Amino acid sequence: MTTALRLSADEIRRTELAAFLRSRRERISPEQVGLPSGGRRRTPGLRREEVAQLAGVGVTWYTWLEQGRDIHASEQVLNAIARTLQLDPHERSHLFTLAGAPEPPMEKDCSAVSPQIRAILGQLEPFPAAVQNARTDILAYNRAYNWLMDVDSVPFEERNSMLLCFTNQRWRSRLRDWEDGMPRTVAQFRASMAEHIAEPGWKELVKRLRRESPEFEAQWNRHDVQPMRNLTKVFVHPEAGMLSFDYTHLWFGRRSEVRLTTYTPADSETAAKLHAGVLPPS
């Protein structure tokens, strides 16, 4: 049996982490981080002690990390190393993955809704469309989605679909089949949380939902899981009445958890009401 086959998954991951850190360190010159070149160097890029100093961590600890030792790196330390090594968002995500640490969701999501995505949201009108992350935070939406759900009236910190579905009666009243879809919604959320089981933001959301919603608590205790599917949803608009949409989830990349959801009218009556309600009169 070869050495590679004898390695555990964690050992392989730590070996990859060590190689990745060395490769990123060696591509950065001292001048790029405001340090003097210090004359001739035996190896390209920064020295280990320079990375440790700039990141604010111990030299021995950082050396162990680069050697693939079995040590735990906190979110704060990984962020500091990522800044020191000038990692781009994809490299930063890779660093957290190799370190076996959950990447903070807010930093990923803030960069996910670019000006280009916001332009796409506008071009999709009069079809409602919104961008959400795996935790169901509503990151962006167009005017048509706001007409459908009145997101503008919800405080920014409360703009989370799960929270609104289970704790906001006005939001729930617009979902005609809420009771039928509730088990599926919770099962999808539980499946998504498997990748974020230790993240404080997710745990705090679940804690609040279980405390404030008996319906969520009952479904959560069933431990059901389901993947996300493209289905049909019926809404009850306070002015337009019944509206039926086919919704489609479009993820931003192969490994992205941020998705664009579009709502296409499922019948001609919905299409007519949507155009009348969203588009300005000619």
Side-chain angles (χ1 to χ4, degrees):
M1 184 180 292
T2 65
T3 301
L5 292 177
R6 289 198 299 268
L7 294 176
S8 68
D10 284 343
E11 289 171 326
I12 294 172
R13 177 175 52 76
R14 291 197 300 271
T15 300
E16 289 292 321
L17 173 62
F20 179 68
L21 287 173
R22 284 195 299 272
S23 70
R24 302 304 93 172
R25 171 171 61 83
E26 291 172 356
R27 74 177 181 178
I28 298 179
S29 67
E31 293 82 2
Q32 286 179 277
V33 293
L35 295 176
S37 61
R40 188 168 183 174
R41 292 175 172 243
R42 290 183 298 174
T43 57
L46 297 175
R47 300 186 177 101
R48 286 174 176 170
E49 56 267 27
E50 291 171 334
V51 174
Q53 177 186 355
L54 291 167
V57 300
V59 176
T60 300
W61 188 92
Y62 179 77
T63 300
W64 286 350
L65 193 65
E66 253 199 35
Q67 290 175 343
R69 301 279 191 97
D70 187 9
I71 58 176
H72 172 73
S74 69
E75 174 189 321
Q76 291 77 13
V77 167
L78 291 174
N79 274 324
I81 292 173
R83 286 192 298 270
T84 300
L85 298 179
Q86 301 179 7
L87 304 186
D88 64 28
H90 181 74
E91 291 171 327
R92 179 181 177 278
S93 178
H94 189 59
L95 170 66
F96 273 78
T97 300
L98 292 178
E103 185 179 5
M106 289 308 294
E107 293 193 31
K108 291 193 296 183
D109 297 340
C110 287
S111 61
V113 188
S114 63
Q116 293 81 5
I117 295 300
R118 294 185 185 277
I120 291 173
L121 284 171
Q123 290 299 312
L124 285 171
E125 290 181 350
F127 293 171
V131 176
Q132 297 186 47
N133 57 17
R135 206 180 77 119
T136 74
D137 296 313
I138 302 172
L139 307 177
Y141 51 93
N142 62 9
R143 188 164 52 93
Y145 187 80
N146 188 55
W147 173 81
L148 182 65
M149 299 305 295
D150 192 19
V151 187
D152 283 353
S153 67
V154 179
F156 181 81
E157 64 276 9
E158 299 285 297
R159 292 178 185 176
N160 175 280
S161 290
M162 288 295 295
L163 190 63
L164 291 168
C165 282
F166 285 94
T167 67
N168 187 305
Q169 186 57 45
R170 186 188 58 79
W171 184 280
R172 184 190 303 188
S173 69
R174 298 195 178 208
L175 305 173
R176 194 199 69 173
D177 302 322
W178 179 81
E179 289 190 6
D180 292 337
M182 175 182 56
R184 180 179 66 250
T185 300
V186 177
Q188 290 172 346
F189 183 75
R190 181 180 276 281
S192 296
M193 190 174 176
E195 296 288 336
H196 306 272
I197 201 72
E199 293 181 25
W202 285 74
K203 292 193 292 186
E204 186 59 35
L205 176 59
V206 170
K207 182 179 178 181
R208 179 177 174 184
L209 286 166
R210 298 183 72 175
R211 180 178 68 246
E212 298 185 14
S213 171
E215 298 98 335
F216 180 88
E217 170 74 1
Q219 293 299 323
W220 189 253
N221 289 332
R222 293 173 62 90
H223 291 269
D224 292 338
V225 292
Q226 284 192 35
M228 284 198 170
R229 298 184 177 90
N230 299 325
L231 300 170
T232 300
K233 184 177 290 187
V234 179
F235 297 84
V236 181
H237 191 273
E239 298 172 1
M242 208 79 71
L243 300 166
S244 181
F245 290 95
D246 297 319
Y247 61 90
T248 305
H249 299 301
L250 303 169
W251 277 264
F252 285 7
R254 186 171 61 89
R255 297 186 62 185
S256 176
E257 292 187 320
V258 180
R259 68 184 185 276
L260 168 67
T261 303
T262 60
Y263 295 82
T264 308
D267 52 53
S268 58
E269 183 179 357
T270 296
K273 291 178 179 179
L274 186 63
H275 279 76
V278 176
L279 294 179
S282 56

